[in-house]
Amino acid sequence: MSVLSGLFDRDGAEPSVVRAMPVILRVERDLPGRTPLLEAAAAAAVAVCLDERAQEGGEWHPLVSAWIDGRIRKVSRRARGAHWHAVQDLPGVTVSVDGASARALLPWPVDETPKTVSRLQISGTELPMDEPGPVADGVPVLWVNPTVEMTVGKLAAQVGHGSMLLAAMAEADGVDLSKWDCHCAVRLSRPGEWNPDVSWERDRAVAVRDAGFTEVEPGTVTVVAQWG
């Protein structure tokens, strides 16, 4: 089992050390597509967790397992130009989808976040809505709640939560994740089709409930992650 199995062992208590995974979104003057950027962020977040360096005995394991055992907070930041290239030197995984790129970094204690990251802006990551095509057969889907407004930065964190929870559920169900490329489609659910009341046994899906620290009310289901 991967380090993601720790998601099932948390006791719900607030950890003494606040840790967060920085998710860096590449937003140059020539803007990336909204959906490809969210898909890149979702894939990068789970790719860090499934990386062999994050498993027991690997160099990333202490940081990743301590984070998963607490709360899986993520903080999305935007970068371009030299700032984007600078974060490539920090440990993490970069994923690109249709020309859009995101890099998920190791989840440090927030008061130890490197200056290379902390100087990057959190707000202002807004991109126009797009109309992605149909989802290919067998590809997991992260369905976004159409009834609440979220910034692209907030959504990047939420789909990252979704990809992680989905991988953990699939692995526990016997899926061989070594054959998965970490890609999930991100789609805005149609209002009449949005249903957050899902179960793995019935729907092969899991709901992402937000803690409510930013933008949405506590307990809001932001994403429904469904295995392909």
Side-chain angles (χ1 to χ4, degrees), residues 64-138:
V64 176
S65 62
W67 172 62
I68 285 177
D69 289 343
R71 294 182 181 273
I72 55 170
R73 291 188 177 98
K74 298 182 181 70
V75 178
S76 300
R77 299 176 183 268
R78 59 188 173 95
R80 71 184 184 196
H83 289 169
W84 168 254
H85 293 294
V87 299
Q88 304 307 305
D89 293 331
L90 298 174
V93 176
T94 296
V95 173
S96 297
V97 177
D98 294 338
S101 298
R103 183 170 181 81
L105 303 176
L106 292 189
W108 295 286
V110 294
D111 59 358
E112 297 178 15
T113 301
K115 190 173 175 110
T116 304
V117 175
S118 63
R119 70 186 178 186
L120 301 176
Q121 291 188 342
I122 297 175
S123 62
T125 308
E126 287 314 302
L127 298 171
M129 297 295 293
D130 53 9
E131 297 184 6
V135 178
D137 290 343

Side-chain angles (χ1 to χ4, degrees), residues 3 12 32 42 51 75 90 120 131 138-139 141 143 170 172 189 195 201 228:
V3 70
D51 192 287
V75 178
L90 298 174
L120 301 176
E131 297 184 6
V139 175
V141 184
W143 297 105
S189 180
N195 176 25
E201 294 75 16

Side-chain angles (χ1 to χ4, degrees), residues 1-6 49-50 54-56 61 68 167-168 171 177:
M1 298 291 284
S2 74
V3 70
L4 286 169
S5 62
C49 301
L50 295 178
Q55 311 317 312
E56 188 169 359
H61 182 72
I68 285 177
E171 183 180 51
L177 295 181

Side-chain angles (χ1 to χ4, degrees), residues 141-159:
V141 184
L142 305 174
W143 297 105
V144 174
N145 186 341
T147 70
V148 295
E149 291 187 9
M150 292 177 281
T151 63
V152 170
K154 176 72 172 180
L155 266 176
Q158 298 305 298
V159 296

